[in-house]
Amino acid sequence: MTSSDPKNCSLCNKSGARSCSKCHSISYCSTRCQKRDWSTHKLLCASFASFDNSSRPTDEHVRAIFFPVDDSRPQIAWLRCCWHDREGIRCHYVDTSPFLGLDKNNRVKSRTDEVSNNPILSIKLSDLIYINYWDSSHNDELKGNKSIANILASKGNIHFWQSPVIAYGIKGLGRAKEIIYRDLEMVDFRHIVDYLCESHSYRVPRTIKPNIVGVRINCDGDREICNRPAFELVEVPPTDRIFAEPNTDSDIASCIGLPIITRRYPLQKYCTEKCSNFTNVLATFLNLSCYDPKLGTGRPHQGELGWGWAPMTWQNDVGSILVVRQDKKPMSLWHIEALCNYCKVELQPVFEAAMEENSLAGRREVMSMINQADFLRYWKGNFLRGIPVEKRLGTNIYIPTPYDF
C-alpha cells in the first residue's frame, strides 16, 4: 500500500477520508481510525494548529518536528535546510545545531535515519522523512529523551531514546538530482512515531490497545519445567478483575510511591514428578509486611504474621504472580526486577536486624528509609550498574525510572 493521496485515511489508506477539524493536516475515514490514532495525534495536534506558519525565518527554512530531551511533548520548529557550494561542488546542508547542539569534544556524532515506509500500517511513503539524532553508541552520558519516552509509554512500549531528535522531510524518495525540502505535516508525525516505536526495541510485546502491559513473576516450577524466565511481560485487559480486587498492593511499593497490585496465578499441575515447586521467593520478598499499628505504617493482610514478615498468603506455595500498575500505565521488566531485588537485597536484611533488636525505634528507623529517594538511589546505583553489558539497551535508548511515566 502506498500513501500518496492526502484525502486518503492516514491509517488504512481508504479514500474519502475527512481531515482533522483542528489541525486539518491528517485525514481519517472513520471515527474508529481517528480514535485509534488519537493517543498519538493529540500530543501535537493543538501545537500544529496554533503554529505560526507566517513566522518562517527565510525561504530556506522548513517546518520540522523536534523531540526535546527535557520536555514532555514534541514541538513544531523551523529548520534551516539549504544548498551551498563547497569547493565548486553543490551540496545540501541541514543546520541541526540549534536542536542537537554542538559536541565540542567530538565524542558523539550525528546520525540520520531514512523513513520510507511504515511497517506498522504496511504503507510505503511517497515522500521521505529524515530522523536526525546523536549516535550514543560510544557515549553513556547522553540524557534520555523524555518527549519520546512519554509517546512510547502511552503506546505500551518500554524502550526509549537518548539525545534530542529532529525530524524533517523532502519531496519524493531522494532519487531526484536535487533534493527539495518540504514542510512536515501531522500525517508525517504518525509515521515518525511508528518508526520510533519499531526501531531499537527491547523486551517489548506488540500491544493492541487498550490492553495493559504487566509483568509475570514466575515461580520455580514454571521456570524449571516450563522454561519460563524469572520476569515476563504479559498483557491484561483493563477490565481484568485484578483492578477490582481490594488489598492486593505491596506495602513496600506503596511506601516508595509505586501503585502496583498483584494477583496469584492458579497453581499448575505439572505433567512430571520431577518438580512441583511453587516457591516464588521474589514474590515473597515483594510482599514483606510494613504493618505496625504503633507506628501507623502499612495495613493488615490476610494471614498476617507481623511486621517484616510476608503474610501466609505469600509464603511457601505462592506460584507465579501477575504484577500491574494500579494506574494502568505500562510496567517494565526492569522496574519490577529492580523492585523485587530492592526488597530482597536492601530491605530484608534491615527488617531482620530490626526484628532481632525488637525495638520500636529500630522499626521506625527502617520505615524512615523506605521511600522514593532511597529506591532511586538503589535504581541508579547498584541495580543499573549491575546489568550485564550484553543486556544493555544499546544505541539511543535508555531505561527510565518508574516515576518517569
Side-chain angles (χ1 to χ4, degrees), residues 67-352:
F67 298 86
V69 165
D70 293 320
D71 205 338
S72 60
R73 287 177 177 259
Q75 303 169 1
I76 307 296
W78 292 119
L79 176 67
R80 183 169 177 257
C81 303
C82 61
W83 286 85
H84 65 100
D85 292 326
R86 180 187 298 171
E87 298 179 355
I89 300 176
R90 187 163 170 73
C91 305
H92 63 92
Y93 170 71
V94 179
D95 185 12
T96 60
S97 58
F99 304 97
L100 301 188
L102 297 175
D103 183 45
K104 297 179 181 180
N105 298 322
N106 197 30
R107 290 179 299 173
V108 290
K109 296 182 179 179
S110 174
R111 288 186 58 178
T112 303
D113 293 350
E114 294 184 355
V115 181
S116 59
N117 66 88
N118 186 322
I120 294 179
L121 302 178
S122 300
I123 289 177
K124 293 182 179 179
L125 308 187
S126 56
D127 294 317
L128 203 63
I129 301 171
Y130 289 117
I131 310 289
N132 198 241
Y133 54 91
W134 284 125
D135 180 2
S136 62
S137 317
H138 307 290
N139 189 301
D140 295 328
E141 298 178 4
L142 291 179
K143 297 174 65 176
N145 191 306
K146 290 184 179 179
S147 59
I148 297 179
N150 288 337
I151 292 173
L152 303 192
S154 70
K155 297 173 71 64
N157 293 301
I158 318 295
H159 62 281
F160 298 88
W161 284 58
Q162 285 178 304
S163 96
V165 174
I166 183 80
Y168 55 98
I170 66 170
K171 292 184 178 180
L173 298 176
R175 297 168 186 151
K177 292 183 179 179
E178 186 164 297
I179 291 177
I180 300 176
Y181 295 97
R182 65 181 178 87
D183 290 341
L184 289 184
E185 307 289 342
M186 283 301 292
V187 67
D188 295 305
F189 180 60
R190 165 80 266 172
H191 302 315
I192 293 166
V193 168
D194 284 346
Y195 173 80
L196 296 174
C197 284
E198 285 295 290
S199 61
H200 308 295
S201 60
Y202 187 86
R203 293 184 174 184
V204 181
R206 177 62 60 83
T207 301
I208 302 174
K209 286 290 187 179
N211 281 359
I212 309 301
V213 179
V215 174
R216 175 180 172 128
I217 305 177
N218 286 304
C219 66
D220 292 351
D222 278 346
R223 295 168 66 179
E224 294 173 18
I225 301 301
C226 304
N227 294 319
R228 303 187 81 141
F231 301 96
E232 184 177 1
L233 281 180
V234 295
E235 296 181 8
V236 296
T239 55
D240 191 282
R241 63 185 176 89
I242 191 172
F243 297 106
E245 292 178 346
N247 299 331
T248 55
D249 59 311
S250 158
D251 277 359
I252 293 174
S254 297
C255 288
I256 65 173
L258 286 183
I260 71 166
I261 46 182
T262 57
R263 185 186 75 206
R264 295 169 60 178
Y265 285 101
L267 299 180
Q268 300 296 313
K269 293 182 179 179
Y270 298 112
C271 300
T272 176
E273 295 181 358
K274 179 180 178 181
C275 176
S276 59
N277 191 349
F278 300 111
T279 300
N280 193 333
V281 174
L282 294 174
T284 301
F285 284 119
L286 179 63
N287 286 279
L288 292 177
S289 175
C290 297
Y291 177 61
D292 189 324
K294 294 182 179 179
L295 292 176
T297 57
R299 57 173 178 75
H301 302 259
Q302 182 180 2
E304 183 71 59
L305 295 179
W307 185 92
W309 292 90
M312 284 302 300
T313 310
W314 298 105
Q315 299 275 357
N316 303 320
D317 290 344
V318 176
S320 297
I321 73 167
L322 169 65
V323 184
V324 294
R325 288 181 60 134
Q326 196 167 22
D327 54 15
K328 299 185 179 181
K329 292 180 179 180
M331 175 77 73
S332 164
L333 286 176
W334 281 347
H335 292 165
I336 195 63
E337 183 176 345
L339 178 57
C340 288
N341 288 338
Y342 174 69
C343 295
K344 178 182 178 181
V345 177
E346 297 281 310
L347 299 185
Q348 195 275 336
V350 295
F351 270 117
E352 186 175 334

Side-chain angles (χ1 to χ4, degrees), residues 48 278 384:
F48 189 94
F278 300 111
L384 289 186

Side-chain angles (χ1 to χ4, degrees), residues 2-40:
T2 302
S3 176
S4 56
D5 191 341
K7 294 182 180 180
N8 289 358
C9 179
S10 64
L11 266 70
C12 67
N13 212 36
K14 287 183 180 179
S15 59
R18 296 183 179 181
S19 62
C20 171
S21 60
K22 190 173 186 68
C23 69
H24 303 287
S25 181
I26 192 170
S27 299
Y28 305 105
C29 68
S30 63
T31 303
R32 180 176 178 272
C33 281
Q34 187 175 21
K35 287 183 177 179
R36 180 183 164 195
D37 191 44
W38 180 240
S39 63
T40 297

